[in-house]
Short mmCIF file of all heavy atoms in Angstrom, two decimals:
data_model
loop_
_atom_site.label_atom_id
_atom_site.label_comp_id
_atom_site.label_asym_id
_atom_site.label_seq_id
_atom_site.Cartn_x
_atom_site.Cartn_y
_atom_site.Cartn_z
N ALA A 98 -32.37 30.59 17.34
CA ALA A 98 -32.94 29.50 18.09
C ALA A 98 -34.08 29.95 18.97
O ALA A 98 -34.36 29.39 19.96
CB ALA A 98 -31.89 28.80 18.91
N GLY A 121 -40.66 12.17 16.97
CA GLY A 121 -40.10 10.88 17.37
C GLY A 121 -39.96 10.83 18.91
O GLY A 121 -39.01 10.23 19.42
N ILE A 126 -34.15 8.43 21.35
CA ILE A 126 -33.71 9.79 21.39
C ILE A 126 -34.79 10.73 21.95
O ILE A 126 -34.55 11.58 22.78
CB ILE A 126 -33.32 10.28 19.95
CG1 ILE A 126 -32.05 9.55 19.49
CG2 ILE A 126 -33.13 11.79 19.88
CD1 ILE A 126 -30.81 10.01 20.17
N ILE A 160 -49.47 13.89 28.91
CA ILE A 160 -50.03 14.21 30.23
C ILE A 160 -48.92 14.92 31.07
O ILE A 160 -49.15 15.90 31.75
CB ILE A 160 -50.52 12.94 30.95
CG1 ILE A 160 -51.76 12.42 30.20
CG2 ILE A 160 -50.83 13.17 32.42
CD1 ILE A 160 -52.29 11.02 30.63
N THR A 187 -54.33 20.22 24.50
CA THR A 187 -53.46 19.57 23.47
C THR A 187 -54.29 19.20 22.23
O THR A 187 -55.28 18.49 22.37
CB THR A 187 -52.81 18.35 24.05
OG1 THR A 187 -51.95 18.72 25.16
CG2 THR A 187 -51.97 17.60 23.04
N GLY A 214 -35.19 6.68 10.24
CA GLY A 214 -35.32 6.34 8.85
C GLY A 214 -35.66 7.51 7.92
O GLY A 214 -35.77 8.65 8.36
N ARG A 247 -28.38 20.71 2.13
CA ARG A 247 -27.38 21.78 2.14
C ARG A 247 -27.92 22.96 1.27
O ARG A 247 -27.76 24.09 1.69
CB ARG A 247 -26.06 21.30 1.58
CG ARG A 247 -25.26 20.54 2.62
CD ARG A 247 -23.79 20.42 2.23
NE ARG A 247 -23.06 21.66 2.41
CZ ARG A 247 -22.51 22.06 3.55
NH1 ARG A 247 -22.55 21.29 4.59
NH2 ARG A 247 -21.86 23.17 3.61
N ILE A 279 -17.52 16.44 16.97
CA ILE A 279 -16.74 17.10 15.89
C ILE A 279 -17.13 18.58 15.87
O ILE A 279 -16.24 19.47 15.79
CB ILE A 279 -17.00 16.44 14.55
CG1 ILE A 279 -16.37 15.04 14.50
CG2 ILE A 279 -16.40 17.31 13.38
CD1 ILE A 279 -16.83 14.21 13.32
N PRO A 365 -13.63 1.00 21.85
CA PRO A 365 -14.71 0.20 22.44
C PRO A 365 -15.39 0.83 23.64
O PRO A 365 -16.56 0.51 23.92
CB PRO A 365 -13.98 -1.06 22.89
CG PRO A 365 -12.69 -1.09 22.17
CD PRO A 365 -12.33 0.36 21.85
N LEU A 460 -34.39 -8.42 10.70
CA LEU A 460 -35.15 -8.53 11.97
C LEU A 460 -36.35 -9.47 11.83
O LEU A 460 -36.78 -10.10 12.81
CB LEU A 460 -35.71 -7.16 12.38
CG LEU A 460 -34.62 -6.17 12.91
CD1 LEU A 460 -35.17 -4.77 13.09
CD2 LEU A 460 -34.01 -6.65 14.21
N PHE A 482 -26.81 6.05 -11.59
CA PHE A 482 -26.31 7.20 -10.78
C PHE A 482 -26.68 8.52 -11.39
O PHE A 482 -26.59 8.70 -12.61
CB PHE A 482 -24.81 7.06 -10.62
CG PHE A 482 -24.18 8.20 -9.82
CD1 PHE A 482 -24.30 8.21 -8.45
CD2 PHE A 482 -23.46 9.21 -10.47
CE1 PHE A 482 -23.76 9.26 -7.69
CE2 PHE A 482 -22.93 10.25 -9.71
CZ PHE A 482 -23.04 10.28 -8.34
#
Side-chain angles (χ1 to χ4, degrees):
I126 290 288
I160 292 169
T187 298
R247 282 196 74 88
I279 291 169
L460 288 171
F482 179 76

